[in-house]
Coordinates of all heavy atoms in Angstrom, one line a residue:
M1 N -32.0 -4.9 27.3 CA -32.4 -5.2 25.9 C -33.5 -4.1 25.6 O -34.5 -4.0 26.3 CB -33.0 -6.6 25.9 CG -34.0 -6.8 24.8 SD -34.8 -8.4 24.8 CE -33.8 -9.5 25.5
P2 N -33.3 -3.3 24.6 CA -34.2 -2.3 24.2 C -35.5 -2.8 23.7 O -35.6 -4.0 23.2 CB -33.5 -1.5 23.1 CG -32.1 -2.0 23.1 CD -32.1 -3.3 23.8
L3 N -36.6 -2.0 23.8 CA -37.9 -2.4 23.2 C -37.7 -2.5 21.7 O -36.9 -1.8 21.1 CB -38.9 -1.3 23.5 CG -39.4 -1.2 25.0 CD1 -40.2 0.1 25.1 CD2 -40.2 -2.4 25.4
C4 N -38.5 -3.3 21.1 CA -38.6 -3.4 19.7 C -39.4 -2.3 19.1 O -40.4 -1.9 19.7 CB -39.2 -4.8 19.2 SG -38.2 -6.2 19.7
G5 N -39.1 -1.8 18.0 CA -39.9 -0.7 17.4 C -39.8 0.6 18.1 O -38.8 0.9 18.8
D6 N -40.8 1.4 17.9 CA -40.8 2.8 18.4 C -41.5 2.7 19.8 O -42.7 2.5 19.9 CB -41.6 3.7 17.5 CG -41.6 5.1 18.0 OD1 -40.9 5.5 18.9 OD2 -42.3 5.9 17.3
S7 N -40.7 3.0 20.8 CA -41.2 3.0 22.2 C -41.8 4.3 22.6 O -42.3 4.4 23.7 CB -40.1 2.6 23.2 OG -39.0 3.5 23.1
T8 N -41.7 5.3 21.8 CA -42.2 6.6 22.1 C -43.6 6.7 22.6 O -43.9 7.3 23.6 CB -42.0 7.6 20.9 OG1 -40.7 7.5 20.4 CG2 -42.3 9.0 21.3
K9 N -44.5 6.0 21.9 CA -45.9 6.0 22.2 C -46.2 5.3 23.6 O -46.9 5.8 24.4 CB -46.8 5.4 21.2 CG -47.0 6.3 19.9 CD -47.9 5.6 18.9 CE -47.9 6.5 17.7 NZ -48.8 5.9 16.6
A10 N -45.5 4.2 23.8 CA -45.6 3.4 25.0 C -45.2 4.3 26.2 O -45.9 4.4 27.2 CB -44.8 2.1 25.0
I11 N -44.1 5.0 26.0 CA -43.6 5.9 27.1 C -44.5 7.0 27.3 O -44.8 7.4 28.5 CB -42.2 6.3 26.8 CG1 -41.2 5.1 26.8 CG2 -41.7 7.5 27.7 CD1 -39.8 5.4 26.3
L12 N -45.0 7.6 26.3 CA -46.0 8.7 26.4 C -47.2 8.3 27.2 O -47.6 9.0 28.1 CB -46.3 9.3 25.0 CG -47.4 10.4 25.0 CD1 -46.8 11.7 25.6 CD2 -47.8 10.6 23.5
F13 N -47.8 7.2 26.7 CA -49.1 6.8 27.4 C -48.8 6.3 28.8 O -49.7 6.6 29.7 CB -49.7 5.7 26.6 CG -50.3 6.2 25.3 CD1 -49.9 5.6 24.1 CD2 -51.2 7.2 25.3 CE1 -50.5 6.1 22.9 CE2 -51.8 7.7 24.1 CZ -51.4 7.1 22.9
M14 N -47.7 5.6 29.1 CA -47.5 5.2 30.4 C -47.2 6.4 31.3 O -47.6 6.4 32.5 CB -46.3 4.2 30.4 CG -46.2 3.4 31.7 SD -47.6 2.4 31.9 CE -47.5 2.1 33.6
G15 N -46.5 7.4 30.8 CA -46.3 8.6 31.6 C -47.6 9.3 32.0 O -47.8 9.7 33.1
K16 N -48.6 9.3 31.0 CA -49.9 9.9 31.3 C -50.6 9.1 32.4 O -51.3 9.6 33.2 CB -50.7 10.0 30.0 CG -50.2 11.1 29.1 CD -51.1 11.2 27.9 CE -50.6 12.3 27.0 NZ -51.4 12.4 25.7
Y17 N -50.5 7.8 32.2 CA -51.1 6.8 33.2 C -50.6 7.0 34.6 O -51.3 7.1 35.6 CB -50.9 5.4 32.7 CG -51.4 4.3 33.6 CD1 -52.7 4.3 34.1 CD2 -50.6 3.2 33.9 CE1 -53.2 3.3 34.9 CE2 -51.1 2.2 34.7 CZ -52.4 2.2 35.2 OH -52.8 1.2 36.0
A18 N -49.3 7.1 34.7 CA -48.7 7.3 36.0 C -49.1 8.7 36.6 O -49.4 8.7 37.9 CB -47.1 7.3 35.9
V19 N -49.2 9.7 35.8 CA -49.6 11.0 36.4 C -51.1 11.0 36.7 O -51.5 11.6 37.7 CB -49.3 12.1 35.3 CG1 -49.9 13.4 35.7 CG2 -47.8 12.3 35.2
S20 N -51.9 10.3 36.0 CA -53.3 10.3 36.2 C -53.7 9.5 37.5 O -54.8 9.7 38.0 CB -54.1 9.8 35.0 OG -53.9 8.4 34.8
L21 N -52.9 8.6 37.9 CA -53.2 7.8 39.1 C -52.1 8.0 40.2 O -51.5 7.0 40.5 CB -53.4 6.3 38.7 CG -54.5 6.0 37.8 CD1 -54.4 4.6 37.2 CD2 -55.8 6.2 38.4
P22 N -52.0 9.2 40.7 CA -50.9 9.3 41.7 C -51.2 8.4 43.0 O -52.4 8.2 43.3 CB -51.0 10.8 42.1 CG -52.3 11.2 41.7 CD -52.8 10.4 40.5
G23 N -50.1 8.0 43.6 CA -50.3 7.1 44.8 C -50.6 5.7 44.4 O -50.9 4.9 45.3
T24 N -50.6 5.3 43.2 CA -50.8 3.9 42.8 C -49.5 3.4 42.2 O -48.5 4.1 42.1 CB -52.0 3.8 41.8 OG1 -51.6 4.5 40.6 CG2 -53.3 4.3 42.4
Q25 N -49.5 2.2 41.7 CA -48.3 1.6 41.3 C -48.0 1.5 39.8 O -47.3 0.7 39.3 CB -48.1 0.1 41.8 CG -47.6 0.1 43.2 CD -46.3 0.8 43.4 OE1 -45.9 1.7 42.7 NE2 -45.6 0.4 44.5
P26 N -48.5 2.4 39.0 CA -48.0 2.4 37.6 C -46.5 2.9 37.5 O -45.9 2.7 36.5 CB -48.9 3.4 36.8 CG -49.4 4.3 37.9 CD -49.5 3.5 39.1
E27 N -46.0 3.5 38.5 CA -44.6 3.9 38.5 C -43.7 2.8 38.2 O -42.7 2.9 37.5 CB -44.3 4.5 39.9 CG -44.9 5.8 40.2 CD -44.5 7.0 39.3 OE1 -43.5 6.9 38.6 OE2 -45.2 8.0 39.3
D28 N -43.9 1.6 38.8 CA -43.0 0.4 38.6 C -43.1 0.0 37.2 O -42.1 -0.3 36.5 CB -43.4 -0.7 39.6 CG -42.5 -1.9 39.4 OD1 -41.4 -1.9 40.0 OD2 -42.9 -2.9 38.7
S29 N -44.3 -0.1 36.6 CA -44.4 -0.5 35.2 C -43.8 0.6 34.3 O -43.2 0.2 33.3 CB -45.9 -0.6 34.9 OG -46.5 -1.6 35.7
F30 N -44.0 1.8 34.6 CA -43.4 2.9 33.8 C -41.9 2.8 33.8 O -41.2 2.9 32.8 CB -43.8 4.2 34.3 CG -43.5 5.4 33.4 CD1 -43.3 5.3 32.0 CD2 -43.5 6.7 33.9 CE1 -43.0 6.4 31.2 CE2 -43.2 7.8 33.1 CZ -43.0 7.6 31.8
A31 N -41.3 2.5 35.0 CA -39.9 2.3 35.2 C -39.4 1.2 34.3 O -38.3 1.3 33.6 CB -39.5 2.1 36.6
E32 N -40.1 0.1 34.2 CA -39.7 -1.0 33.4 C -39.7 -0.7 31.9 O -38.7 -1.0 31.2 CB -40.6 -2.2 33.7 CG -40.0 -3.5 33.1 CD -40.7 -4.7 33.6 OE1 -41.4 -4.7 34.7 OE2 -40.6 -5.8 32.9
I33 N -40.7 0.0 31.5 CA -40.8 0.4 30.1 C -39.6 1.3 29.7 O -38.9 1.2 28.7 CB -42.1 1.1 29.8 CG1 -43.2 0.1 29.8 CG2 -42.1 1.8 28.4 CD1 -44.6 0.7 29.7
L34 N -39.3 2.3 30.6 CA -38.2 3.2 30.4 C -36.9 2.4 30.4 O -36.0 2.7 29.6 CB -38.1 4.3 31.5 CG -39.3 5.3 31.4 CD1 -39.3 6.1 32.7 CD2 -39.0 6.2 30.2
R35 N -36.7 1.4 31.3 CA -35.5 0.6 31.3 C -35.3 -0.1 30.0 O -34.3 -0.1 29.4 CB -35.5 -0.3 32.4 CG -34.2 -1.1 32.5 CD -34.2 -2.1 33.7 NE -35.1 -3.1 33.5 CZ -35.5 -3.9 34.5 NH1 -35.1 -3.8 35.7 NH2 -36.4 -4.9 34.2
L36 N -36.4 -0.7 29.5 CA -36.4 -1.4 28.2 C -36.1 -0.5 27.0 O -35.5 -0.9 26.0 CB -37.7 -2.2 28.0 CG -37.9 -3.4 28.9 CD1 -39.3 -3.9 28.7 CD2 -36.9 -4.4 28.7
A37 N -36.4 0.8 27.2 CA -36.1 1.7 26.1 C -34.7 2.3 26.3 O -34.3 3.2 25.5 CB -37.2 2.9 26.2
G38 N -34.0 1.9 27.3 CA -32.6 2.4 27.5 C -32.5 3.7 28.2 O -31.5 4.3 28.2
R39 N -33.6 4.1 28.8 CA -33.7 5.4 29.5 C -33.5 5.1 31.0 O -34.4 5.3 31.8 CB -35.0 6.2 29.2 CG -35.0 6.6 27.7 CD -36.3 7.0 27.2 NE -36.8 8.2 27.9 CZ -37.9 8.9 27.5 NH1 -38.6 8.5 26.4 NH2 -38.3 10.0 28.2
F40 N -32.2 4.7 31.3 CA -31.9 4.2 32.6 C -32.1 5.1 33.8 O -32.7 4.7 34.8 CB -30.5 3.6 32.6 CG -30.3 2.5 31.6 CD1 -29.2 2.6 30.7 CD2 -31.2 1.4 31.5 CE1 -29.0 1.6 29.8 CE2 -31.0 0.4 30.6 CZ -29.9 0.5 29.7
D41 N -31.6 6.3 33.7 CA -31.7 7.3 34.8 C -33.2 7.6 35.1 O -33.6 7.6 36.3 CB -31.0 8.6 34.5 CG -29.5 8.4 34.5 OD1 -29.0 7.5 35.2 OD2 -28.8 9.1 33.7
E42 N -34.0 7.8 34.1 CA -35.4 8.0 34.3 C -36.1 6.8 34.9 O -36.9 6.9 35.8 CB -36.1 8.3 33.0 CG -35.8 9.6 32.4 CD -36.4 9.8 31.0 OE1 -37.6 10.2 30.9 OE2 -35.7 9.5 30.0
S43 N -35.7 5.6 34.5 CA -36.2 4.4 35.0 C -35.9 4.3 36.5 O -36.9 4.0 37.3 CB -35.5 3.2 34.3 OG -35.9 2.0 34.9
I44 N -34.7 4.5 36.9 CA -34.4 4.5 38.4 C -35.2 5.5 39.2 O -35.7 5.1 40.2 CB -32.9 4.7 38.6 CG1 -32.1 3.5 38.0 CG2 -32.6 5.0 40.0 CD1 -30.6 3.7 37.9
G45 N -35.5 6.6 38.6 CA -36.3 7.6 39.3 C -37.7 7.1 39.5 O -38.3 7.3 40.6
H46 N -38.3 6.4 38.5 CA -39.6 5.9 38.7 C -39.7 4.7 39.6 O -40.7 4.5 40.3 CB -40.3 5.6 37.3 CG -40.7 6.9 36.6 ND1 -41.8 7.5 36.9 CD2 -40.0 7.6 35.7 CE1 -41.9 8.6 36.1 NE2 -40.8 8.7 35.4
Y47 N -38.6 3.9 39.6 CA -38.6 2.8 40.6 C -38.5 3.3 42.0 O -39.2 2.8 42.9 CB -37.3 1.9 40.3 CG -37.5 0.9 39.2 CD1 -36.6 0.8 38.2 CD2 -38.6 -0.1 39.2 CE1 -36.7 -0.2 37.2 CE2 -38.7 -1.0 38.2 CZ -37.7 -1.1 37.2 OH -37.8 -2.0 36.2
R48 N -37.8 4.4 42.2 CA -37.7 5.0 43.5 C -39.0 5.6 43.9 O -39.4 5.6 45.0 CB -36.6 6.0 43.5 CG -35.2 5.4 43.5 CD -34.1 6.3 44.0 NE -32.8 5.7 43.7 CZ -32.2 4.7 44.4 NH1 -32.9 4.1 45.3 NH2 -31.0 4.3 44.1
A49 N -39.7 6.2 42.9 CA -41.1 6.8 43.2 C -42.0 5.6 43.6 O -42.8 5.8 44.5 CB -41.6 7.5 41.9
A50 N -41.9 4.5 43.0 CA -42.8 3.3 43.3 C -42.5 2.9 44.8 O -43.4 2.6 45.5 CB -42.6 2.2 42.4
L51 N -41.2 2.9 45.2 CA -40.8 2.6 46.5 C -41.3 3.6 47.5 O -41.6 3.3 48.7 CB -39.3 2.4 46.7 CG -38.8 1.1 46.1 CD1 -37.3 1.1 46.0 CD2 -39.3 -0.1 46.9
G52 N -41.4 4.9 47.1 CA -41.9 5.9 47.9 C -43.4 5.7 48.2 O -43.9 6.0 49.3
I53 N -44.1 5.2 47.2 CA -45.6 4.9 47.4 C -45.7 3.6 48.3 O -46.6 3.6 49.2 CB -46.2 4.6 46.0 CG1 -46.2 5.9 45.2 CG2 -47.6 4.1 46.2 CD1 -46.5 5.7 43.7
D54 N -44.9 2.6 48.0 CA -45.0 1.4 48.8 C -43.6 0.8 49.0 O -43.0 0.2 48.2 CB -45.9 0.3 48.1 CG -46.0 -1.0 48.8 OD1 -45.4 -1.1 49.9 OD2 -46.8 -1.8 48.3
P55 N -43.0 1.1 50.2 CA -41.7 0.7 50.5 C -41.5 -0.9 50.5 O -40.4 -1.3 50.4 CB -41.4 1.2 51.9 CG -42.4 2.2 52.2 CD -43.6 1.9 51.3
K56 N -42.6 -1.6 50.5 CA -42.5 -3.1 50.4 C -42.6 -3.6 49.0 O -42.7 -4.8 48.8 CB -43.6 -3.7 51.3 CG -43.4 -3.3 52.8 CD -44.4 -4.0 53.7 CE -44.1 -3.6 55.1 NZ -45.1 -4.3 56.0
Y57 N -42.6 -2.8 48.0 CA -42.7 -3.2 46.6 C -41.4 -3.7 46.1 O -40.6 -3.0 45.5 CB -43.3 -2.1 45.8 CG -44.1 -2.5 44.6 CD1 -45.3 -3.1 44.8 CD2 -43.6 -2.4 43.3 CE1 -46.1 -3.5 43.7 CE2 -44.3 -2.8 42.2 CZ -45.6 -3.3 42.4 OH -46.3 -3.8 41.4
Y58 N -41.1 -4.9 46.5 CA -39.8 -5.5 46.3 C -39.3 -5.4 44.8 O -38.1 -5.3 44.5 CB -39.6 -6.9 46.8 CG -40.4 -7.9 46.0 CD1 -39.9 -8.6 45.0 CD2 -41.7 -8.2 46.4 CE1 -40.6 -9.5 44.2 CE2 -42.4 -9.2 45.7 CZ -41.9 -9.8 44.6 OH -42.6 -10.7 43.9
S59 N -40.2 -5.6 43.9 CA -39.8 -5.6 42.4 C -39.2 -4.3 42.0 O -38.3 -4.2 41.2 CB -41.0 -6.0 41.5 OG -42.0 -4.9 41.5
S60 N -39.6 -3.2 42.7 CA -39.0 -1.9 42.4 C -37.5 -1.8 42.9 O -36.6 -1.3 42.2 CB -39.8 -0.7 43.0 OG -41.0 -0.6 42.3
Q61 N -37.3 -2.4 44.1 CA -35.9 -2.4 44.6 C -35.0 -3.2 43.7 O -33.9 -2.8 43.3 CB -35.9 -3.0 46.0 CG -34.5 -3.0 46.6 CD -33.8 -1.6 46.7 OE1 -34.4 -0.7 47.2 NE2 -32.6 -1.5 46.2
F62 N -35.5 -4.4 43.3 CA -34.6 -5.2 42.4 C -34.6 -4.6 41.0 O -33.6 -4.8 40.3 CB -35.1 -6.7 42.4 CG -34.8 -7.3 43.8 CD1 -35.8 -7.5 44.7 CD2 -33.5 -7.6 44.1 CE1 -35.6 -8.1 45.9 CE2 -33.2 -8.2 45.3 CZ -34.3 -8.4 46.2
G63 N -35.6 -3.9 40.6 CA -35.6 -3.2 39.3 C -34.5 -2.1 39.3 O -33.8 -2.0 38.3
I64 N -34.3 -1.4 40.4 CA -33.2 -0.5 40.5 C -31.8 -1.2 40.3 O -31.0 -0.8 39.6 CB -33.2 0.3 41.9 CG1 -34.5 1.2 41.9 CG2 -31.9 1.1 42.1 CD1 -34.7 1.7 43.3
A65 N -31.7 -2.3 41.0 CA -30.4 -3.1 41.0 C -30.2 -3.6 39.6 O -29.1 -3.5 39.0 CB -30.5 -4.2 42.0
D66 N -31.2 -4.1 38.9 CA -31.1 -4.6 37.6 C -30.7 -3.5 36.6 O -29.9 -3.7 35.7 CB -32.4 -5.3 37.1 CG -32.8 -6.5 37.8 OD1 -31.9 -7.2 38.5 OD2 -33.9 -7.0 37.7
T67 N -31.3 -2.3 36.8 CA -31.0 -1.2 35.9 C -29.5 -0.8 36.0 O -28.8 -0.6 35.0 CB -31.9 -0.1 36.2 OG1 -33.3 -0.5 36.0 CG2 -31.7 1.1 35.2
Y68 N -29.0 -0.7 37.3 CA -27.6 -0.4 37.4 C -26.7 -1.4 36.8 O -25.7 -1.1 36.2 CB -27.3 -0.2 38.9 CG -27.6 1.2 39.5 CD1 -28.5 1.3 40.5 CD2 -27.0 2.3 38.9 CE1 -28.9 2.6 41.0 CE2 -27.3 3.6 39.4 CZ -28.3 3.7 40.5 OH -28.6 4.9 40.9
S69 N -27.1 -2.7 36.9 CA -26.4 -3.7 36.2 C -26.3 -3.5 34.7 O -25.3 -3.7 34.1 CB -27.0 -5.1 36.6 OG -26.2 -6.1 36.0
L70 N -27.5 -3.2 34.1 CA -27.5 -3.0 32.7 C -26.7 -1.8 32.3 O -26.1 -1.7 31.2 CB -29.0 -2.8 32.2 CG -29.8 -4.0 32.2 CD1 -31.3 -3.6 31.9 CD2 -29.3 -5.0 31.1
M71 N -26.6 -0.8 33.2 CA -25.8 0.4 32.9 C -24.3 0.1 33.0 O -23.5 0.9 32.7 CB -26.2 1.5 33.9 CG -27.6 2.0 33.8 SD -28.1 3.1 35.1 CE -27.1 4.6 34.8
G72 N -23.9 -1.1 33.5 CA -22.5 -1.4 33.7 C -21.9 -1.0 35.0 O -20.7 -1.2 35.2
D73 N -22.8 -0.5 35.9 CA -22.3 -0.1 37.2 C -22.5 -1.2 38.2 O -23.5 -1.2 39.0 CB -23.1 1.2 37.7 CG -22.5 1.8 38.9 OD1 -21.7 1.1 39.6 OD2 -22.8 3.0 39.2
Q74 N -21.7 -2.2 38.1 CA -21.8 -3.4 38.9 C -21.7 -3.2 40.4 O -22.4 -3.8 41.2 CB -20.9 -4.5 38.5 CG -21.1 -4.9 37.0 CD -22.5 -5.2 36.6 OE1 -23.2 -5.9 37.4 NE2 -22.9 -4.7 35.5
T75 N -20.9 -2.2 40.8 CA -20.7 -1.9 42.2 C -22.0 -1.4 42.8 O -22.5 -1.8 43.8 CB -19.6 -0.9 42.4 OG1 -18.4 -1.4 41.9 CG2 -19.4 -0.5 43.9
R76 N -22.6 -0.4 42.1 CA -23.9 0.1 42.6 C -25.0 -0.9 42.5 O -25.8 -1.0 43.4 CB -24.2 1.4 41.7 CG -25.5 2.1 42.2 CD -25.2 2.8 43.6 NE -26.4 3.3 44.1 CZ -26.8 4.6 44.0 NH1 -26.1 5.4 43.3 NH2 -27.9 5.0 44.5
A77 N -25.0 -1.7 41.5 CA -26.0 -2.8 41.4 C -25.9 -3.7 42.6 O -26.9 -4.1 43.2 CB -25.8 -3.6 40.1
R78 N -24.7 -4.1 42.9 CA -24.5 -5.0 44.1 C -25.0 -4.4 45.4 O -25.6 -5.0 46.2 CB -23.1 -5.5 44.3 CG -22.7 -6.6 43.3 CD -21.3 -7.2 43.6 NE -20.2 -6.2 43.4 CZ -19.6 -6.0 42.3 NH1 -20.0 -6.5 41.2 NH2 -18.6 -5.1 42.3
Q79 N -24.8 -3.1 45.5 CA -25.3 -2.3 46.7 C -26.8 -2.4 46.7 O -27.4 -2.6 47.8 CB -24.8 -0.9 46.7 CG -23.3 -0.7 46.9 CD -22.9 0.7 46.6 OE1 -23.6 1.6 46.0 NE2 -21.6 1.1 46.9
E80 N -27.4 -2.2 45.6 CA -28.9 -2.2 45.5 C -29.5 -3.6 45.8 O -30.5 -3.7 46.4 CB -29.4 -1.6 44.2 CG -29.0 -0.1 44.0 CD -29.7 0.8 45.0 OE1 -30.7 0.5 45.6 OE2 -29.2 2.0 45.2
Y81 N -28.8 -4.6 45.2 CA -29.2 -6.0 45.5 C -29.1 -6.3 47.0 O -30.0 -6.9 47.6 CB -28.4 -7.0 44.7 CG -28.7 -7.1 43.2 CD1 -27.8 -6.9 42.3 CD2 -30.0 -7.4 42.8 CE1 -28.0 -7.0 40.9 CE2 -30.3 -7.5 41.5 CZ -29.3 -7.3 40.5 OH -29.6 -7.4 39.2
K82 N -28.0 -5.8 47.6 CA -27.8 -6.1 49.0 C -29.0 -5.4 49.8 O -29.6 -6.0 50.7 CB -26.5 -5.5 49.5 CG -26.2 -5.8 50.9 CD -24.8 -5.3 51.3 CE -24.6 -5.7 52.8 NZ -23.9 -4.7 53.5
I83 N -29.3 -4.2 49.5 CA -30.5 -3.5 50.1 C -31.7 -4.3 50.0 O -32.5 -4.6 50.9 CB -30.7 -2.1 49.6 CG1 -29.5 -1.2 50.0 CG2 -32.0 -1.5 50.0 CD1 -29.5 0.1 49.2
G84 N -31.9 -4.8 48.8 CA -33.1 -5.6 48.5 C -33.2 -6.9 49.3 O -34.2 -7.2 49.9
F85 N -32.1 -7.6 49.4 CA -32.1 -8.9 50.1 C -32.1 -8.7 51.6 O -32.6 -9.5 52.3 CB -30.9 -9.8 49.7 CG -31.1 -10.4 48.3 CD1 -30.3 -10.1 47.3 CD2 -32.2 -11.3 48.1 CE1 -30.5 -10.7 46.0 CE2 -32.4 -11.9 46.9 CZ -31.6 -11.6 45.8
E86 N -31.6 -7.5 52.1 CA -31.7 -7.2 53.5 C -33.2 -6.8 53.9 O -33.7 -7.2 54.9 CB -30.8 -6.1 53.9 CG -29.3 -6.6 53.9 CD -28.4 -5.4 54.1 OE1 -28.8 -4.2 54.1 OE2 -27.2 -5.7 54.3
K87 N -33.8 -6.1 53.0 CA -35.1 -5.6 53.2 C -36.2 -6.7 52.9 O -37.2 -6.7 53.6 CB -35.4 -4.4 52.2 CG -36.3 -3.4 52.7 CD -36.1 -2.2 51.7 CE -37.3 -1.3 51.7 NZ -37.2 -0.3 50.7
F88 N -35.9 -7.6 52.0 CA -36.9 -8.6 51.6 C -36.2 -10.0 51.6 O -35.6 -10.4 50.5 CB -37.4 -8.3 50.2 CG -37.9 -6.9 50.0 CD1 -37.2 -5.9 49.3 CD2 -39.1 -6.5 50.5 CE1 -37.6 -4.6 49.1 CE2 -39.6 -5.2 50.4 CZ -38.8 -4.3 49.7
P89 N -36.1 -10.6 52.7 CA -35.5 -11.9 52.8 C -36.1 -12.9 51.8 O -37.3 -12.8 51.4 CB -35.7 -12.4 54.2 CG -36.1 -11.1 55.0 CD -36.7 -10.2 54.0
L90 N -35.3 -13.9 51.3 CA -35.8 -14.8 50.4 C -37.1 -15.5 50.8 O -37.9 -15.8 50.0 CB -34.7 -15.9 50.1 CG -33.5 -15.4 49.3 CD1 -32.5 -16.5 49.1 CD2 -34.0 -15.0 47.9
E91 N -37.2 -15.8 52.1 CA -38.4 -16.5 52.5 C -39.6 -15.7 52.2 O -40.7 -16.1 51.8 CB -38.4 -16.8 54.1 CG -37.2 -17.6 54.5 CD -35.9 -16.7 54.7 OE1 -36.0 -15.6 55.2 OE2 -34.9 -17.2 54.3
E92 N -39.5 -14.3 52.4 CA -40.6 -13.4 52.2 C -40.9 -13.4 50.7 O -42.1 -13.4 50.2 CB -40.3 -12.0 52.7 CG -41.4 -11.0 52.5 CD -41.1 -9.7 53.1 OE1 -40.3 -9.6 54.1 OE2 -41.6 -8.7 52.6
L93 N -39.9 -13.4 49.8 CA -40.0 -13.3 48.4 C -40.7 -14.6 47.9 O -41.4 -14.5 46.9 CB -38.7 -13.1 47.7 CG -38.1 -11.7 47.9 CD1 -36.7 -11.7 47.3 CD2 -38.9 -10.6 47.4
Q94 N -40.4 -15.7 48.5 CA -41.0 -17.0 48.0 C -42.5 -17.1 48.3 O -43.1 -18.0 47.8 CB -40.2 -18.1 48.6 CG -38.8 -18.2 48.0 CD -37.9 -19.2 48.7 OE1 -38.3 -19.8 49.6 NE2 -36.7 -19.4 48.1
R95 N -43.0 -16.3 49.2 CA -44.4 -16.4 49.6 C -45.3 -16.0 48.5 O -45.1 -15.2 47.7 CB -44.7 -15.6 50.8 CG -44.4 -16.4 52.1 CD -44.9 -15.7 53.3 NE -43.7 -15.3 54.0 CZ -43.7 -14.2 54.7 NH1 -44.7 -13.5 54.9 NH2 -42.6 -13.9 55.4

């Protein structure tokens, strides 16, 4: 579902935020904004960057899967969900 209104400013400011705090987790938030704006490929790149910072950041792994699903690539989405559930068992996610 695309963002309402003009997402250009949100993307611009979030991009500056992510660059100004390297090694922190604005990457995941930036990825979500990009996904909502329909910029799926960029979104996946930022989710992967978030996982590079913290491989245990499960929301980024599932964000990748969700993004592929929105793109209509259900095969790739299922692969990414599988990675997520293998890496982050449900018991761990429920904590």
